[in-house]
Each structure stands twice: as structure tokens, then as C-alpha cells.
Amino acid sequence: MEGVQCDYLSELDVVWDRSETLTEKPFHYCPGCGHSVMNRLLMEVVQELGIQDKTIGVAPVGCAVFMYHYMDIDMQEAAHGRASAVATGIKRILPDRFVFSYQGDGDLAAIGTAETIHTVNRGENIIMLFINNGIYGMTGGQMAPTTLKGSITSTTSSGREYDRHGYPLDITPLISQLPGASYVTRQSVDTAKAVRKTKKALTKAFQFHMNGGEGVCFLEIVSNCPSGWKMTPIESNEWLQDHVFNHYPLGDIKPFPK
Amino acid sequence: MPEKQLMKGNEALAEAAIRAGLKGYFGYPITPQSELLEYLSRHLIDRGGEFIQAESEVAAINMVYGAAGCGKRVMTSTSSPGYSLMQEAISYIACGELPCLLVNVVRGGPGLGTIQPSQGDYFQAVKGGGHGDYRLIVLAPNSVQEMADFVFKGFDLADQYRNPVLILADGALGQMMEPVTFPDYNPEDNLVDHSDWATQGKPASRGPNVITTLHLEADKMEAVNLKLQEKYRTIMANEVMIESIQTEDADLVLVAYGLTSRIAHKAVELARNDGLKVGLLRPKTLFPFPSQHLAVLADQVTSMMVVEMSAGQMVEDVRLAVNGKVPVYFQGRMGGVIPQPDELLKRIHQVYSSSSTQVNS
Ligand SMILES: Cc1ncc(C[n+]2csc(CCOP(=O)(O)OP(=O)(O)O)c2C)c(N)n1
Ligand code: SF4
């Protein structure tokens, strides 16, 4: 590992290293944020599958806007909400490439809802990653479409109320109803076990397209935002387990077609 | 010898796009451009391109962004309200320097307006339209033949300058039928290799290609702007196209583009029959604008008259170019009304006599 000057380390086996598909640029994400884990997982999977030269990613407007700094692959940065339309344009022009979009809940389920639904409905052969942290992280913690009842945000100072702000939009089950969705799953990255499950789901999604599978693979990651939630990373993960997963239950919603 | 065909403007434009090597079209129905979308839905896939009828103009233009970022020839087309919806992404495309072709078959506005032809989107087309300092190369055809010709020209310019090119037509040009001849054009001979910047998948031999328009530090964003402005200056110096009709001896020069240039041309003929020395300058490019040509003409003529199907938009650029040397009159109709040659002739007579009294006195 570059930068590490301890001689005795060289005598040990390397058991963990930065994926070659990740650049050396340090992440800008807040400590404990799920975006970091997901950025890393994505690149691990791309490396393990040997598809770095064939993968093109689309970054959102949101906290992950700079993900192209960390990923050593060709990438485009989309306008707020339009990542799946941009990914559609790329995939239609370069059908033998593996294309993914990566979006937050404001991006995918508020401003970009129409693009989300219609990209899935056309059955584009792309992977759509949806990082649901229940808040607008990048703009300073406003209410998101997915924000749960009672949650205090900078635009719901006394908590989200259904009659005033509407209900949390549970978009993933809706997506799963569309014939264009081939695989729909909801995972998390709050524990080591969850990270492994998410990685497995992501790997299967890429393999599905590598093996000629058609249609959208849609992966929601129910994630945290320690800064926006005003919690420590550990508190935020406990909050997920105690209060969020019962509203957004984890697991496959639509398994791969047989 | 390529043969003549009788076609609608929208269809001629669509056919030309396929012949220019179109690899992706993304659009949404709106009158009066729908024939373009329909034609491409019938023919593009069989002839080597992808076609998507998108869920909105917003989606369509963002698909163009993604596809143009792969370095292939792609386009969208729409009409005024749809073009308004596209502005955010067009700003991204201009900043990201993604070559592509945009078409606005303009209808009367504001609002939902009318499906009749108009030139009311001039400001939006040439001054930017979306946010930030950017320019499109704007081509203004005035015949079905040019609806086709400017597609080849447009793709070549887009590739050469890595800049979006807009064809600014109007509902009448889109709908009317005229004979058209397609040039011998082999896209393979004209394609530019964009693999040094386009996102096509990163081989081990190079670093990642990234398309982004986000530069948080002010000095970096200013550097991006300076580079764009430099490019626009090169375009202004090299790419102005005009048509000049009987301007050599003219006292009064009409300035008109697109459909109105044809009506103005007719009015020039009528005025010449009446013994008046009237000419016509037609900008074929609206950006870059023929300011130099107009400045030179201003030393020769006694007045100018701009004719538009708008409340007077291009007239502002003509006045800037002329810089007060001669009076610049305006004659326009709005809301989809097409000015008639006899109403122009009447105004020409008025302007001509008042200008000559000004000069004589
Ligand atoms: C058209 C437009 N509207 C608004 C914004 C401001 N904006 C940037 S990110 C964002 C919300 C991001 O929230 P989310 O998608 O949930 O992602 P997170 O930051 O939480 O990962 C907003 C509203 C913008 N950039 N563009
Ligand atoms: S603001 Fe929230 S979502 Fe954004 S990086 Fe920080 S913790 Fe993550």
C-alpha cells in the first residue's frame, strides 16, 4: 500500500487492499455514511468481474455527485434526477457496455420520478442503484420523499406529518410491478453481513446483464445520513435497525427471472 | 446525379439526419414537428440507429446528453414549449461540450400558444436559453432544401467544435412540401474520432473519461468559461453564413431569416419593380451573427428594416451591429401570423421615403 512506511508490513500477507478500480482520491463522504460503502462495493464488484473497461457509470446530483473522482471507469455526471435517462442514452448507443445509474432518494423518487418509472418500464438493460437515506443530504438535510413520519428535517422542523407533507414514498415495490424490471431487491450496508448480501446482489445484477439478461436490475439500499440525521454513525445504524427497516423491509422484492 | 424528391421540411430533415450517420434519436411528440419523430420511428432503426419516444422532453434531452457523451451522432427535435423544457440539460450539454443536433420547429407563443409558425424563440435560441454563459451554433434554414442541408452542416460543425448545434426552423418550414435533393455525403468520411474524451469504456491504456459540468472552485469554473468563450470567438470568426440579395446598390436593406426571408425576398422584387433600390440580407447563422456584414452595409445604405414573426428580437442584434449609423426599422407579426409581401411593400415605401427625406434634409 502506497504511503505506508512500515517495513514489517511487507512481510505479511495483504488481506485487504484498495480495489484497483478505485482511484487514490480520499472519499469526501461524512464518516460512517453508506455512500462510502456503496461506492467501494460497486468498484469491488466491477474489479472482481473484470469489466472495468466495459462499465460506464452515471453519477447523480446529491452527495454522490463526485463519485466519478473515486471510480476508475468512464463516467457521466447527470442533471438532478435524470441519471436513468442519461444511462438510457449511453446504453442504447453502446449496447455491449454495462451501464449503471446511482441516485439518492430526492434524485430518484422526487425530481426524477418520471424518468425512474419510464426507464424501468422500457426495460432498459441497466442497473439502477437507489440510495435511500430518507433525507436530502447534499443540500443540508431537507425532507425527502422517503422521510418517515415524525422525522425532523430542516423543512419539517416539527417532524413529517402525513396530512401536511404526504406519505413516505415507497417506490421500490411500485417499480417491481413493472414488467421492465427483471430484478428488484432492497438491501442495506449497516452491518458486515448486510454488506456481503448487498455485494452478492450487485454481483448477480452485473452477471445477469453479462449473461445476456434483459431488463432493469433495481437495487435499493436503505442507508443512513449521520450528518443530516444529527447522529453518530453507530447511532444512525441503530436507528435504521430500530425504526427504518420495519417501514422499508429488506430482501428480494422481485427475484431474477427463471 | 442525385434525384429530386418532394418532401415535407420535417421529413427532409429526418431523412438527412439518417444520411448524416444518425446513431440515436430521442424525442417527444409536439406539433408542428411530429413528422420528424414519426419519420425516424419508421426508418432509423432499420438504418442503423436507435430511436426512443421518451416520456418527456426533459427525459429526451437527458438521453441526448448521455448518448452524445459516447461520441456518436445523436439528436432530438421539438417545438417551442418542449424546447423550453429542455433548457437545463442544454446548458449541461453546452458546458460538457457534447456534440449533438437540436431542432426547434418554432410555434407561436408565449404559453401553449398556437401551432402556427413563429420566430418568437430567437432570444432563447441565440442568447443561451438555459442558465449560465453558453452559446449554441444556430442555423436558420429558409427552405425544405436547407432543412436537409443544414443537418449535414450542423453535425459537421457540432463534431468540429464539440458544441451543440440548433436548427431553428418554424412550423411552416416543417410542414410545407418542396423538392429536395440530398447531397452525396458519406458519414464515414466526415466522422470525428471522439474516443479521447467520450465515455466508451475505459481501456487499461488510458485514465477514465469523465463528463461533468461541476467545478466548485470559482477559478476552475472561470477557466471552463474562458475556454468556452474562446471557442465561441473562433466560431464567430469562422462560421458566419449569409445570403445577400441585391444589396450592392441598395439604399434600404431588409434583414430577415428563415421563412420571413422568403417573404422579404418577394417584397424586394416588388419594390424593385416600383423602382426602389431595396436589398435583402439573410443570416443563415443566427449564432454566429453576421454583425460585421451589417456594420459594413450600414456605411452604404440609408436605412435597414428587420422583418420577423415576433415582437422584435433579432432587430436588437441588428441595431447593435449597426451601432446607430442608420435607422433600423422593424416590421413584425406575432402569434403565428405570417406577414404578407404587400404589407411589407407598403412599409418599404413609407420607410424609403422617410429615410430619403432624412438624407436629403
Ligand atoms: C434542478 C435542481 N434542483 C435542485 C438542485 C439542488 N439539489 C442538489 S442535491 C439535492 C437533493 C439531494 O438529495 P438526495 O437525492 O436524496 O441525495 P443525497 O444527497 O441524500 O445523497 C437538491 C435538491 C439541483 N442541483 N438541481
Ligand atoms: S450529508 Fe449525509 S448522505 Fe451526505 S455524505 Fe454526509 S452523511 Fe452521507
Side-chain angles (χ1 to χ4, degrees):
Chain A
M1 276 176 15
E2 279 141 281
V4 181
Q5 293 299 323
C6 313
D7 283 345
Y8 59 85
L9 265 188
S10 60
E11 300 186 1
L12 303 177
D13 290 336
V14 175
V15 291
W16 186 89
D17 203 355
R18 175 174 51 77
S19 302
E20 279 164 31
T21 39
L22 279 173
T23 66
E24 287 178 36
K25 190 153 179 122
F27 285 166
H28 70 279
Y29 302 112
C30 307
C33 174
H35 278 306
S36 315
V37 184
M38 274 314 293
N39 278 210
R40 186 189 153 87
L41 269 193
L42 246 175
M43 286 302 98
E44 273 182 19
V45 169
V46 165
Q47 173 157 343
E48 284 165 20
L49 294 173
I51 52 172
Q52 183 181 13
D53 57 339
K54 294 193 187 61
T55 305
I56 303 173
V58 182
V61 174
C63 276
V65 66
F66 279 133
M67 59 192 275
Y68 52 78
H69 282 166
Y70 318 128
M71 303 191 170
D72 194 19
I73 57 168
D74 283 0
M75 290 201 71
Q76 295 195 21
E77 202 286 298
H80 190 24
R82 319 300 171 203
S84 65
V86 172
T88 297
I90 298 172
K91 182 68 185 184
R92 291 294 186 108
I93 292 297
L94 301 172
D96 63 344
R97 298 297 191 265
F98 305 112
V99 180
F100 69 84
S101 58
Y102 182 111
Q103 298 177 266
D105 39 63
D107 204 77
L108 180 138
I111 193 167
T113 310
E115 284 78 6
T116 301
I117 300 268
H118 286 277
T119 302
V120 177
N121 195 47
R122 281 190 307 270
E124 300 293 340
N125 303 324
I126 63 168
I127 295 176
M128 292 174 69
L129 288 157
F130 168 34
I131 313 304
N132 174 8
N133 59 11
I135 202 161
Y136 283 20
M138 189 193 207
T139 39
Q142 297 84 7
M143 181 186 75
T146 48
T147 300
L148 296 182
K149 187 177 181 185
S151 298
I152 291 172
T153 71
S154 65
T155 49
T156 54
S157 49
S158 44
R160 182 177 192 152
E161 301 162 38
Y162 289 163
D163 55 355
R164 183 178 290 268
H165 306 110
Y167 299 87
L169 181 57
D170 194 0
I171 198 165
T172 305
L174 279 174
I175 292 293
S176 72
Q177 313 257 310
L178 302 172
S182 292
Y183 174 56
V184 180
T185 191
R186 184 184 266 149
Q187 301 293 339
S188 69
V189 290
D190 57 312
T191 62
K193 191 172 167 212
V195 170
R196 281 196 294 275
K197 279 182 84 176
T198 300
K199 183 169 175 182
K200 204 166 155 202
L202 195 53
T203 305
K204 281 193 292 180
F206 274 106
Q207 283 170 335
F208 177 69
H209 288 144
M210 288 167 77
N211 295 330
E214 294 191 335
V216 167
C217 294
F218 190 95
L219 284 78
E220 174 178 347
I221 312 301
V222 185
S223 192
N224 60 351
C225 174
S227 298
W229 296 359
K230 303 195 173 27
M231 294 178 192
T232 66
I234 291 174
E235 282 167 2
S236 73
N237 280 339
E238 286 167 357
W239 184 267
L240 277 174
Q241 292 148 14
D242 297 344
H243 300 281
V244 183
F245 293 156
N246 59 347
H247 197 95
Y248 297 116
L250 306 181
D252 282 356
I253 298 176
K254 188 175 193 176
F256 284 105
K258 283 277 171 322
Chain B
M1 221 1 227
E3 64 185 281
K4 271 193 178 165
Q5 303 179 36
L6 192 64
M7 287 181 106
K8 275 192 174 189
N10 284 334
E11 293 182 341
L13 200 157
E15 174 62 28
I18 298 176
R19 290 173 187 239
L22 185 66
K23 290 284 172 265
Y25 173 90
F26 311 92
Y28 188 83
I30 182 168
T31 312
Q33 70 78 50
S34 292
E35 295 83 4
L36 225 163
L37 166 100
E38 288 163 358
Y39 189 95
L40 290 170
S41 77
R42 287 196 298 275
H43 299 290
L44 182 56
I45 292 171
D46 290 344
R47 291 163 70 186
E50 274 292 323
F51 172 93
I52 295 184
Q53 178 174 331
E55 60 271 28
S56 70
E57 287 86 352
V58 176
I61 190 68
N62 283 283
M63 290 172 190
V64 168
Y65 175 94
C70 300
K72 305 290 180 194
R73 289 195 158 175
V74 298
M75 69 177 288
T76 185
S77 61
T78 183
S79 178
S80 307
Y83 193 67
S84 291
L85 265 185
M86 293 183 178
Q87 295 309 313
E88 183 200 26
I90 293 174
S91 168
Y92 277 63
I93 287 171
C95 184
E97 298 192 85
L98 308 181
C100 60
L101 186 71
L102 316 173
V103 179
N104 182 358
V105 183
V106 181
R107 56 192 250 178
L112 190 53
T114 163
I115 59 175
Q116 302 304 320
S118 161
Q119 296 180 323
D121 297 358
Y122 176 92
F123 283 152
Q124 188 188 39
V126 306
K127 308 288 177 184
H131 57 288
D133 283 309
Y134 71 88
R135 299 289 187 147
L136 309 180
I137 297 172
V138 184
L139 307 178
N142 82 343
S143 62
V144 172
Q145 182 63 53
E146 282 189 352
M147 290 285 267
D149 292 346
F150 286 4
V151 170
F152 301 98
K153 180 82 188 162
F155 272 122
D156 289 345
L157 286 170
D159 277 336
Q160 182 185 344
Y161 290 101
R162 280 190 60 186
N163 207 73
V165 171
L166 169 66
I167 293 184
L168 190 72
D170 64 63
L173 287 170
Q175 299 296 321
M176 71 192 191
M177 288 183 99
E178 282 182 332
V180 55
T181 314
F182 293 99
D184 270 333
Y185 181 97
N186 182 358
E188 296 305 321
D189 298 340
N190 293 275
L191 289 187
V192 174
D193 179 13
H194 292 305
S195 58
D196 57 327
W197 61 266
T199 58
Q200 300 174 338
K202 183 197 102 81
S205 54
R206 65 157 168 84
N209 284 346
V210 172
I211 292 166
T212 182
T213 61
L214 178 67
H215 309 280
L216 286 179
E217 298 89 354
D219 55 340
K220 291 221 176 100
M221 196 64 224
E222 187 179 48
V224 170
N225 271 279
L226 288 171
K227 181 167 170 253
L228 288 178
Q229 294 302 321
E230 181 62 36
K231 175 170 78 173
Y232 301 149
R233 273 193 293 279
T234 309
I235 293 170
M236 284 191 259
N238 297 314
E239 302 302 343
V240 173
M241 294 194 298
I242 58 157
E243 182 185 13
S244 206
I245 293 166
Q246 292 186 285
T247 53
E248 299 77 21
D249 65 338
D251 292 327
L252 166 65
V253 163
L254 306 189
V255 187
Y257 71 93
L259 185 69
T260 46
S261 69
R262 294 178 60 155
I263 302 151
H265 189 174
K266 181 76 196 164
V268 166
E269 284 172 11
L270 296 174
R272 287 272 170 178
N273 288 343
D274 291 350
L276 308 187
K277 287 185 181 166
V278 181
L280 169 68
L281 185 131
R282 167 167 83 98
K284 292 185 186 178
T285 50
L286 298 177
F287 183 87
F289 193 69
S291 304
Q292 283 307 111
H293 296 81
L294 287 161
V296 170
L297 262 186
D299 289 329
Q300 170 205 315
V301 302
T302 48
S303 63
M304 293 193 191
M305 186 171 114
V306 178
V307 187
E308 293 179 69
M309 294 190 292
S310 78
Q313 300 192 17
M314 182 177 72
V315 66
E316 293 191 1
D317 287 333
V318 176
R319 286 189 177 131
L320 275 174
V322 164
N323 200 15
K325 282 188 206 155
V326 292
V328 177
Y329 299 93
F330 175 72
Q331 180 72 7
R333 298 298 298 265
M334 289 172 283
V337 179
I338 302 174
Q340 295 305 306
D342 54 349
E343 74 184 79
L344 293 190
L345 184 65
K346 208 167 134 199
R347 188 77 202 279
I348 287 169
H349 274 283
Q350 281 170 4
V351 164
Y352 201 89
S353 54
S354 66
S355 300
S356 48
T357 41
Q358 264 179 12
V359 169
N360 293 341
S361 59

